[in-house]
């Protein structure tokens, strides 16, 4: 997954930035192709295609279509001004070539933004001209033989050297190179600014002049005088003199969510409206400045740390929002430490941007999701550049040791496996790309071939017509997933427990299809590679899948709870009661109100299980209270009463009790945690 955004940053900026200077990721692997001509070529073809199609859609001249394109751009970052500057400098040659019926490939090769080196194949997106390529190219060069643009191109000058563009380039460079927020006065790694690695990526700072105030820390003196952890809870209740932080958060076990990921984790997204002429309007590029300063990522919408509403009308919430809904003391405690192009090889270069103090901060749930770049690269022969299982083991162990030295005790780390990316070719290769929908001339197969030829493909191994290569890539991905699984089962750490989760992509597809969707809709339409926002919904749910249980125990457990398919308060109570029976734990009650609160309050249930741990004496055997029970009620343990009361319809108490005794305590507890963590997610997603 070679930072594909750097290929397309050129397009929205309309050839403003040569990609090798303005958008090179700070942490590129040494194995990645450094051919800047490839990125520049893709940007040129993309922009010229949009200009040509705008003229076709609106039945206008090329000059008018370029001016229309600039009029759509916002003023922020000087985008509109710079667009008109580019038209003034390069527009006349583009007009001449397009007016002579030259396609975007010919235009960009003529202007030398695309180059065919000696001994290298000809890289093109569109079908070749009817006349020979050599003849067509020579004809085009005659049209612009005295053009100043050729002089500029041959000089090798960097577009960012132009004074008017220097500031724009610098802002984008800083956004890529800095792992911590660009605007951070107190240097605590949290910011009051949204983009440039600000609070779109990690919780918003509530005091940027005090480095001891930041999201996720334990409260300072119960936040009597200030909100030291930025969760919005501080001060003293005048009615009883108890600090609000102590009253609402003590014992609720707040914890943050941290993602160590690559571009899917950062929620990479390029709007199809940016390159689809028939959909362009004044509203198409409103979010472009924000996207550029967030590296064309949308972490504020990601499936793990997102905090804003979905842009496609999906009601599912991120894992962070689920944690927040469960416990408002978790407010703002999220960090998205993801990067385009990240892998196990280069994570060590930016993991220092993670903010967690094991003495001062709350525990955290850390998700390690490097799901592609250890097998994905753009080389002509991608297999030798893939990470080996031995190297992955070394890289991940180095990461886990770093986490162990920074995470507070009681944290959790989840290692996420790699997907089987053969889905991409199988479902997309014969479909039309947005650039080819108008004239039915560009499919994803053409796009993949073009990117592979230029050696700038996000993943040559899977985005290839070579079935053998696709199979080899999937086999290596499976080997790396098995390595992660081995680490999770064999390694132990003092400050966190370790889990492994498969990337259950095929299950996600099946669930999507059951809801009436088409499988290809789960992939970003512009790059034909990344998961889109629809798929993020299912990624959230699949973080805790049936893979956490062995097949036999999972079959037992699913058959037991098959009668009720919603992980609601009732289901949580059965599971909690089952756990108490197996482990011998008891959660006492002082009366009917207390019992009802424990049933319907997830934090209270969790607190009962984790903090009391069965140490509290059995005072009440019946939910009516110590003095309220009668007859057999006084002889019935509270946990069994809860299990009986909240069992599924048609399921006998004796069968539930017997099933509880047959199941492993640790496995039940993992399922209880699933319900507590994900709240109202329906269980079929995990059971099938």
């Amino acid at each position: 997954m070679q930072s594909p955004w750097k290929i397309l940053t050129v397009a929205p900026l309309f050839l403003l930035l040569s990609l090798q200077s303005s958008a090179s990721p700070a942490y590129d692997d040494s194995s990645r192709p450094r051919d800047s001509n490839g990125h520049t070529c893709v940007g040129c073809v993309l922009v010229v295609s949009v200009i040509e199609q705008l003229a076709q859609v609106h039945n206008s001249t090329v000059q008018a279509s370029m001016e229309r394109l600039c009029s759509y751009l916002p003023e922020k970052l000087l985008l509109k001004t710079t667009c008109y500057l580019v038209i003034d400098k390069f527009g006349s040659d583009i007009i001449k070539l397009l007016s002579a019926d030259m396609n975007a490939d010919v235009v960009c090769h003529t202007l030398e933004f695309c180059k065919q080196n000696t001994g290298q194949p000809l890289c093109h997106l569109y079908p070749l001209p009817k006349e020979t390529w050599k003849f067509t190219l020579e004809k085009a060069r005659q049209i612009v033989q005295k053009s100043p643009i050729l002089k500029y191109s041959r000089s090798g000058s960097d577009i960012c050297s132009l004074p008017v563009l220097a500031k724009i380039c610098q802002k984008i460079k800083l956004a890529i190179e800095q792992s911590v927020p660009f605007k951070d006065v107190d240097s605590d790694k949290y910011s009051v600014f949204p983009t440039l690695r600000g609070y779109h990526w990690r919780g918003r700072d509530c005091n940027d002049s005090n480095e001891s105030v930041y999201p996720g820390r334990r409260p300072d003196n119960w936040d009597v005088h200030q909100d030291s952890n930025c969760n919005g809870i501080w001060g003293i209740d005048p009615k009883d003199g108890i600090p609000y932080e102590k009253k609402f958060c003590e014992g609720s076990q707040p914890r943050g969510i941290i993602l160590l990921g690559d571009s899917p984790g950062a929620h990479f997204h390029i709007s199809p409206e940016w390159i689809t002429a028939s959909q362009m309007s004044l509203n198409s590029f409103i979010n472009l400045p924000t996207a550029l300063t967030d590296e064309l990522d949308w972490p504020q919408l990601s499936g793990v740390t997102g905090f804003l509403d979905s842009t496609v009308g999906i009601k599912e919430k991120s894992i962070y929002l689920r944690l927040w809904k469960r416990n408002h003391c978790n407010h703002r405690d999220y960090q998205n430490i993801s990067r385009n192009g990240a892998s196990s090889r280069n994570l060590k270069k930016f993991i220092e941007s993670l903010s967690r103090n094991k003495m001062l901060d709350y525990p955290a749930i850390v998700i390690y999701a490097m799901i592609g770049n250890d097998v994905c690269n753009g080389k002509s022969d991608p297999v030798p550049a893939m990470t080996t299982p031995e190297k992955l083991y070394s890289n991940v162990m180095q990461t886990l040791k770093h986490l162990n030295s920074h995470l507070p005790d009681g944290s959790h780390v989840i290692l996420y496996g790699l997907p089987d990316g053969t889905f991409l070719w199988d479902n997309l290769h014969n479909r039309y790309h947005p650039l080819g929908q108008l004239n039915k001339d560009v499919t994803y197969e053409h796009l993949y071939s073009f990117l592979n030829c230029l050696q700038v493909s996000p993943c040559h191994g899977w985005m290839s017509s070579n079935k053998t290569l696709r199979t080899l890539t999937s086999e290596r991905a499976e080997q790396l997933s098995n390595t992660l699984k081995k680490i999770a089962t064999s390694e132990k750490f003092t400050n966190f427990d370790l889990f492994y989760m498969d990337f259950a992509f095929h299950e996600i597809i099946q669930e999507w299809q059951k809801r009436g969707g088409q499988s290809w809709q789960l992939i970003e339409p512009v790059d034909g590679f990344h998961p889109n926002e629809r798929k993020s919904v299912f990624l959230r749910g699949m973080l805790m899948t049936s893979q956490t249980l062995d097949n036999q125990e999972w079959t037992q457990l699913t058959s037991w709870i098959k009668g009720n398919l919603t992980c609601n308060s009732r289901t949580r109570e059965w599971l909690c009661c089952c756990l108490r029976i197996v482990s011998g734990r008891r959660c006492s009650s002082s009366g009917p109100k207390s019992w009802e609160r424990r049933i319907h309050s997830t934090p209270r249930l969790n607190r009962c299980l984790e903090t009391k741990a069965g140490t509290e004496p059995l005072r009440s055997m019946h939910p009516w209270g110590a003095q309220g029970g009668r007859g057999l009620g006084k002889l019935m343990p509270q946990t069994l009463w809860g299990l009986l009361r909240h069992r599924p319809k048609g399921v006998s108490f004796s069968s539930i009790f017997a099933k509880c005794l047959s199941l492993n305590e640790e496995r039940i507890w993992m399922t209880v945690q699933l319900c507590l963590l994900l709240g109202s997610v329906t269980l079929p997603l995990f059971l099938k």
Side-chain angles (χ1 to χ4, degrees), residues 265-300:
H267 199 61
F268 177 86
H269 170 70
I270 298 174
S271 173
E273 291 183 345
W274 295 350
I275 67 167
T276 308
S278 60
Q279 298 179 11
M280 282 189 187
S281 67
L282 291 172
N283 296 323
S284 298
F285 297 96
I286 290 177
N287 292 324
L288 179 58
T290 298
L292 290 176
T293 49
D294 267 337
E295 306 159 40
L296 285 187
D297 294 323
W298 306 74
Q300 68 275 28

Side-chain angles (χ1 to χ4, degrees), residues 17 67 130 199 226 418 436 489 502 530 680:
L17 310 174
E67 293 178 354
K130 294 181 180 180
Y199 66 77
Q226 65 172 347
L418 282 70
T489 56
D502 269 329
H530 286 87
S680 61

Side-chain angles (χ1 to χ4, degrees), residues 296-316:
L296 285 187
D297 294 323
W298 306 74
Q300 68 275 28
L301 299 173
S302 74
V304 177
T305 64
F307 58 89
L308 296 180
D309 291 334
S310 163
T311 60
V312 294
I314 297 174
K315 296 181 180 180
E316 297 290 344

Side-chain angles (χ1 to χ4, degrees), residues 287-356:
N287 292 324
L288 179 58
T290 298
L292 290 176
T293 49
D294 267 337
E295 306 159 40
L296 285 187
D297 294 323
W298 306 74
Q300 68 275 28
L301 299 173
S302 74
V304 177
T305 64
F307 58 89
L308 296 180
D309 291 334
S310 163
T311 60
V312 294
I314 297 174
K315 296 181 180 180
E316 297 290 344
K317 301 299 183 182
S318 69
I319 294 177
Y320 160 69
L321 286 179
R322 292 187 179 279
L323 288 172
W324 174 84
K325 183 178 180 180
R326 175 195 171 200
N327 185 351
H328 283 20
C329 300
N330 293 323
H331 186 48
R332 295 183 179 176
D333 194 2
Y334 62 89
Q335 297 181 57
N336 194 320
I337 315 296
S338 300
R339 301 195 67 90
N340 299 329
S343 68
S344 70
R345 297 187 296 267
N346 57 33
L347 175 58
K348 60 184 178 182
K349 297 181 180 179
F350 62 90
I351 196 173
E352 293 292 341
S353 65
L354 185 149
S355 173
R356 216 65 179 180

Side-chain angles (χ1 to χ4, degrees), residues 556-565 574 648 651 683 687:
Q556 291 177 322
L557 188 58
T558 55
S559 63
W560 171 55
I561 58 179
K562 192 174 181 180
N564 188 314
L565 297 179
W574 312 328
V651 178
L683 280 177
L687 305 185

